[in-house]
């Protein structure tokens, strides 16, 4: 591009490069989904179609961005995780967040009619999402972040399941149900569900209790070395361009799995060492 006397304005742009060698989590969240879910009459407390649509859009994001190594979704939110060695967009915050938000939103809207064939999407009730990037300095803290979201899913789902059962099956008013649930712990809610409605919370669907985790499954000839990645190693192991391209190719070919499992305990991570190691 030719230089012009206007070009100095470029110097007003500020760097927003995220710290190197840290996990990057981009969390997106539906804007005003309380209202949107009412407008399109989502089933309470969980609408399976709405969750499946969130998951389908997130799978497309994973496919389009092979740099992503795992994602976790619950309700109207999704967390997308980039490995510390990720160099996508030179780790620019704005580029990463806006690309994820717009790619997700595009697929969410594109697929809407597949999941809600009887409820056409019409303005002004169009879904949109906000997004933010947060960096986490080591594996432990990244896992604590993921655990935090899954615990949140469990707490909210137990509350919502109990609340809506009291209202929809028990005929209570919203205010009365809310009042009764004030100050209760998990055991109380389990008991209300079981004693009053014969519902064993454990038998609720895993997708509701645990949320959704997306990761890549590799069907490789031989199992990958299960060496797990340490923080020191991440500093040392600067990958070359060609290494990165090779990894990207492998990731693109891998199948994106939709799972509803515990990601708090070690088992999930030990069984799939490539997620934390970033290899591939
Ligand atoms: P925000 O994020 O500040 O723009 O506001 P909201 O309204 O999106 O609030 P948020 O994100 O804290 O809570 C998510 C809302 O979405 C919550 O009010 C319930 C609704 N929602 C999400 N999934 C479902 C579902 O499966 N069924 C129903 N009925 N509602 C859902
Ligand atoms: Mg919010
Ligand atoms: Mg929201
Ligand atoms: Mg939310
Ligand atoms: Mg451009």
């Amino acid at each position: 591009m030719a230089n012009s006397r206007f070009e100095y304005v470029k110097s007003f742009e500020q760097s927003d490069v995220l710290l190197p060698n840290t996990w990057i989590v981009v969390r997106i969240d539906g804007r005003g989904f309380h209202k949107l879910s009412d407008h399109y009459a989502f089933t309470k407390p969980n609408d399976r179609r709405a969750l499946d649509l969130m998951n389908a859009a997130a799978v497309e994001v994973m496919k389009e961005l092979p740099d992503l190594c795992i994602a976790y979704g619950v309700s109207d939110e999704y967390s997308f995780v980039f490995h510390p060695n990720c160099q996508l967009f030179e780790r620019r915050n704005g580029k990463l967040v806006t690309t994820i938000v717009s790619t997700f939103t595009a697929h969410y809207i594109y697929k809407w009619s597949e999941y809600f064939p009887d409820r056409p999407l019409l303005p002004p009730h169009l879904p949109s999402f906000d997004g933010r990037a947060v960096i986490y300095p080591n594996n432990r803290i990244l896992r604590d972040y993921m655990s935090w979201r899954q615990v949140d899913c469990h707490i909210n789902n137990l509350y919502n399941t109990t609340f809506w059962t009291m209202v929809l099956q028990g005929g209570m008013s919203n205010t009365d149900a809310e009042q009764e649930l004030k100050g209760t712990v998990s055991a109380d809610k389990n008991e209300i569900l079981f004693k009053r409605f014969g519902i064993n919370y454990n038998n609720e669907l895993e997708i509701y209790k645990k949320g959704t985790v997306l990761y890549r499954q590799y069907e490789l000839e031989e199992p990958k070395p299960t060496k797990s990645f340490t923080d020191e190693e991440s500093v040392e192991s600067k990958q070359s361009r060609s290494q990165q391209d090779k990894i990207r190719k492998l990731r693109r070919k891998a199948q994106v799995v939709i799972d509803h499992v515990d990601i708090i305990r070690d088992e999930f991570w030990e069984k799939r060492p490539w997620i934390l190691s970033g290899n591939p």
Side-chain angles (χ1 to χ4, degrees), residues 46-60 62 69-81 104 145-147 149-154 157 205-215 256-264 268-269 275:
N46 293 299
D47 190 305
R48 184 61 201 256
R49 300 159 301 176
L51 292 174
D52 286 343
L53 173 56
M54 286 290 291
N55 294 339
V59 166
E60 296 304 323
M62 289 281 282
C69 40
I70 186 167
Y72 177 76
V74 46
S75 180
D76 69 337
E77 69 167 62
Y78 240 98
S79 299
F80 294 94
V81 182
F104 185 93
Y145 170 81
M146 302 297 273
S147 301
R149 297 324 301 142
Q150 192 164 51
V151 167
D152 216 56
C153 169
H154 165 73
N157 188 57
L205 291 183
E206 294 300 306
I207 186 176
Y208 302 153
K209 288 185 296 182
K210 298 214 169 63
T212 299
V213 58
L214 306 182
Y215 55 87
V256 177
V257 176
I258 303 182
D259 222 341
H260 317 290
V261 291
D262 183 297
I263 55 169
I264 298 171
F268 172 83
W269 305 93
I275 295 173

Side-chain angles (χ1 to χ4, degrees), residues 243-255:
Q243 262 176 315
Q244 280 177 34
D245 287 348
K246 222 170 98 190
I247 288 177
R248 246 189 219 129
K249 234 186 212 157
L250 274 169
R251 286 187 182 158
R252 238 185 246 288
K253 276 209 305 219
Q255 210 205 320

